[in-house]
């Protein structure tokens, strides 16, 4: 099967040349007992140089996996704006596919553990205020189209499934989906495309919206990526959309 | 002594139980108070408040125990009351600071690392104590602010704001296209990651100035990146106008001469 994208691969020439097409240059230089990692281009940091000390560092130990494209010090939540709002009938459930922005994460693996040594995107991250200026929250912002089937795969976007459950007595128009993106699981397929775990948007009888992380891949046969949140960190899996959807 | 013990053994037992229970409760409350306060104030302040709670419980327990075995503590209480009044008058300011400090701990209007503006002082909170709060100003000067001043005056907490607005005014010549200038500036601002997509940046003609049309440029940014936008907004506006060939006008004056000017060569 011919790989189209780069996730799950080591820093081979295929990955390096694919990134060069995007304006990002990666270089690994073996210098005896250490390896010099260099990157030019990308966002948020445009130039990175790191020295990795290891007794047997090989190119195969550096792998590219999808990571979330947000600066945690600015926001850990993602606000997805649907380009076409969806109207969901009362007491009904629908599933759609959307695209979530991601960055390339370069991991260093050994038998016991791994470490994220670099992450970058080609695109500038944008943020928006969800809610009012007095009490809203800053979220990573992304506009996505709505797909009824699995859409085309892209390097800088992961695919996810959103299950929208309307338990209320009224029709509901969904324009925004907000959830804690930094906690979501990532997955890759055999073509090197990225996915994140399924999201559920539940609209209660009172018309309140809650998003929750389903801890399940959006499709079968996907391989789980490294976890971005540590084992000791509590995983936030539910989010109340207090300013509407 | 033996007779007294025989007559009052039940009271003595009660007193011992009161002391033991008080020791147990005061220890638990001391630890709980220390844990709760460590995230809000310095370690020494948390220790002192926790000890104060413990000893207050023990003092009350000792008074109850002494009363139960027949010791008359009325005199001690009256003397303590008088002493309290004297200390209260003498240490009004300190007590006011102490109580204000406790109330601030409960209210938590700011935390360590926040930038606050109190009176004429702006700086980052580096220590929160019961009696005072220490902030470090922009130029690195440490300022100690008594808790009563903080509690009784209004202050601004810049860090608590989720999003902040930065605005600047710029003039464009009367001959320039307002729409072109507005579009150029808005586009330039939207390229910056620290300018929020929503609320969107806004540029509009505000008034007519002496040298040109006054545009107001407004952009929102996350609270933590306020300085980034504040320090770059004029540069971004100028850069945007330069790219579309709009020059920010110099002050212009039309000068009329009362009598014709004589120039070299005799021309008027």
């Amino acid at each position: 099967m011919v790989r189209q994208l780069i996730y799950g691969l080591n820093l081979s020439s295929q990955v390096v040349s694919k990134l060069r097409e995007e304006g990002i240059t990666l270089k690994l230089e073996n210098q005896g007992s250490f390896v010099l990692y260099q990157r030019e281009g990308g966002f948020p940091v445009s130039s990175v140089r790191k020295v990795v000390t290891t007794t047997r560092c090989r190119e195969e130990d550096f792998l590219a996996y999808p990571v979330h494209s947000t600066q945690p010090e600015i926001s850990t939540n993602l606000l997805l704006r649907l380009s076409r709002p969806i109207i969901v009938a009362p007491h009904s459930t629908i599933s759609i596919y959307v695209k979530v922005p991601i960055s390339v994460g370069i991991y260093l693996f050994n038998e016991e553990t791994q470490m994220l040594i670099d992450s970058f995107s080609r695109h500038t991250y944008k943020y928006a205020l969800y809610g009012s200026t007095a009490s809203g929250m800053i979220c990573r912002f992304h506009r996505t189209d709505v797909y009824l089937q699995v859409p085309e795969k892209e390097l800088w976007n992961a695919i996810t499934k959103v299950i929208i459950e309307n338990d209320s007595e009224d029709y509901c128009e969904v324009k925004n989906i907000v959830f804690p993106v930094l906690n979501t699981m990532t997955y890759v397929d055999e073509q090197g495309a990225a996915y994140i775990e399924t999201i559920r948007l539940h609209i209660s009888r009172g018309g309140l919206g809650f998003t929750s992380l389903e801890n399940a891949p959006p499709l079968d046969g996907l391989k789980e990526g490294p976890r971005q949140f540590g084992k000791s960190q509590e995983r936030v899996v539910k989010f109340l959309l207090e300013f509407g959807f | 002594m033996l007779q007294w013990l025989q007559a009052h053994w039940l009271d003595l037992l009660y007193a011992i139980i009161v002391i033991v229970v008080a020791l147990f409760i005061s220890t638990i409350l001391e630890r709980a108070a220390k844990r709760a306060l460590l995230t809000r104030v310095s370690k020494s302040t948390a220790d002192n408040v926790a000890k104060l709670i413990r000893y207050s419980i023990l003092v009350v327990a000792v008074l109850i125990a002494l009363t139960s075995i027949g010791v008359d503590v009325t005199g001690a209480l009256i003397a303590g009351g008088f002493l309290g009044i004297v200390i209260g008058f003498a240490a009004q300011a300190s007590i006011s600071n102490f109580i204000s400090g406790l109330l601030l701990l409960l209210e938590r209007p700011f935390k360590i690392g926040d930038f606050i503006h109190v009176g004429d002082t702006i700086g980052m909170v580096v220590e929160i104590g019961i009696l005072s709060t220490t902030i470090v100003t922009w130029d690195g000067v440490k300022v100690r602010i008594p808790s009563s001043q903080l509690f009784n005056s209004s202050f601004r907490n810049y860090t608590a704001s989720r999003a902040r607005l930065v605005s600047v005014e710029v003039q464009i010549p009367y001959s320039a296209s307002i729409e072109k200038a507005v579009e150029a500036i808005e586009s330039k601002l939207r390229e910056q990651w620290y300018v929020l997509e929503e609320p969107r940046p806004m540029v509009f003609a505000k008034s007519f100035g002496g040298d040109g049309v006054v545009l107001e440029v407004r952009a929102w940014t996350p609270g933590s990146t306020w300085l980034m936008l504040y320090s770059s907004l004029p540069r971004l506006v100028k850069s945007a106008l330069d790219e579309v060939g709009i020059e920010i006008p110099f002050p212009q004056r039309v000068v009329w001469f009362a009598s014709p000017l004589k120039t070299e060569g005799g021309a008027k």
Side-chain angles (χ1 to χ4, degrees), chain B residues 15 18-19 21-23 55-67:
Chain B
V18 164
I19 302 254
V21 167
L23 275 169
Y55 291 132
S56 302
I57 294 170
L58 288 175
V59 163
V60 170
V62 163
L63 287 173
I64 293 171
L66 286 173
T67 309

Side-chain angles (χ1 to χ4, degrees), chain B residues 195-258:
Chain B
V195 172
L196 291 180
E197 193 69 12
E198 290 179 5
R200 288 180 81 79
M202 221 163 102
V203 185
F204 54 91
K206 181 183 170 180
S207 61
F208 299 107
D211 307 312
V213 176
V214 179
L215 301 182
E216 181 164 334
V217 180
R218 295 157 64 97
W220 287 87
T221 186
S224 56
T225 55
W226 171 82
L227 186 60
M228 209 179 276
L229 180 59
Y230 182 77
S231 60
S232 64
L233 188 57
R235 174 179 57 80
L236 291 169
V237 168
K238 173 87 174 37
S239 166
L241 293 175
D242 286 346
E243 280 169 17
V244 293
I246 296 176
E247 193 179 330
I248 297 174
F250 290 98
Q252 298 179 33
R253 297 289 179 267
V254 177
V255 180
W256 293 92
F257 292 91

Side-chain angles (χ1 to χ4, degrees), chain B residues 44-263:
Chain B
S44 59
T45 304
D47 282 343
N48 289 335
V49 172
K51 273 185 192 150
L52 184 66
I53 292 171
R54 179 182 160 93
Y55 291 132
S56 302
I57 294 170
L58 288 175
V59 163
V60 170
V62 163
L63 287 173
I64 293 171
L66 286 173
T67 309
S68 71
I69 60 172
V71 174
D72 185 10
V73 296
T74 315
L77 284 172
I78 291 171
F82 273 121
L83 189 62
I85 290 169
V86 167
I87 292 173
F89 274 115
Q92 273 182 79
S94 301
I95 291 170
S96 169
N97 275 331
F98 180 79
I99 293 172
S100 299
L102 284 177
L103 293 171
L104 282 171
L105 276 178
L106 284 171
E107 198 187 336
R108 293 190 74 183
F110 52 81
K111 57 186 186 303
I112 290 176
D114 282 359
F115 277 93
I116 63 173
H117 185 168
V118 185
D120 294 330
T121 310
I122 305 175
M124 185 171 80
V125 177
V126 294
E127 193 181 329
I128 301 175
I130 290 288
L131 298 176
S132 66
T133 293
T134 306
I135 70 173
V136 175
T137 60
W138 297 108
D139 52 353
V141 175
K142 260 191 185 174
V143 180
R144 178 186 168 276
I145 304 175
S147 295
S148 57
Q149 183 184 337
L150 271 170
F151 190 76
N152 294 317
S153 60
S154 63
F155 63 86
R156 300 178 195 182
N157 185 340
Y158 294 119
T159 313
S161 309
R162 280 133 176 121
R164 291 187 62 191
L165 177 72
V166 181
S167 68
V168 78
E169 286 183 4
V170 66
Q171 287 196 32
I172 59 170
Y174 282 107
S175 57
S177 162
I178 295 175
E179 288 77 18
K180 193 173 162 190
V182 165
E183 196 186 313
I185 296 170
E186 281 182 356
S187 173
K188 178 65 81 176
L189 291 179
R190 281 200 300 272
E191 286 171 13
Q192 314 309 313
W193 71 266
Y194 48 89
V195 172
L196 291 180
E197 193 69 12
E198 290 179 5
R200 288 180 81 79
M202 221 163 102
V203 185
F204 54 91
K206 181 183 170 180
S207 61
F208 299 107
D211 307 312
V213 176
V214 179
L215 301 182
E216 181 164 334
V217 180
R218 295 157 64 97
W220 287 87
T221 186
S224 56
T225 55
W226 171 82
L227 186 60
M228 209 179 276
L229 180 59
Y230 182 77
S231 60
S232 64
L233 188 57
R235 174 179 57 80
L236 291 169
V237 168
K238 173 87 174 37
S239 166
L241 293 175
D242 286 346
E243 280 169 17
V244 293
I246 296 176
E247 193 179 330
I248 297 174
F250 290 98
Q252 298 179 33
R253 297 289 179 267
V254 177
V255 180
W256 293 92
F257 292 91
S259 51
L261 270 181
K262 280 192 185 162
T263 59

Side-chain angles (χ1 to χ4, degrees), chain A residues 111-165:
Chain A
E111 292 93 5
E112 292 142 2
T113 186
Q114 76 263 353
M115 181 180 170
L116 178 66
I117 63 166
D118 189 19
S119 67
F120 52 88
S121 174
R122 196 190 77 171
H123 305 291
T124 304
Y125 301 167
K126 289 296 288 182
Y127 298 89
L129 188 62
Y130 172 61
S132 66
T133 51
S135 55
M137 63 170 56
I138 302 290
C139 294
R140 172 75 166 91
F141 181 79
H142 183 70
R143 286 181 213 277
T144 174
D145 212 338
V146 173
Y147 306 89
L148 299 177
Q149 291 162 354
V150 180
E152 193 185 319
K153 298 154 196 182
E154 293 169 7
L155 179 59
W156 303 110
N157 286 308
I159 295 166
T160 188
K161 184 161 76 176
V162 181
I163 302 168
I164 304 176
E165 233 171 29

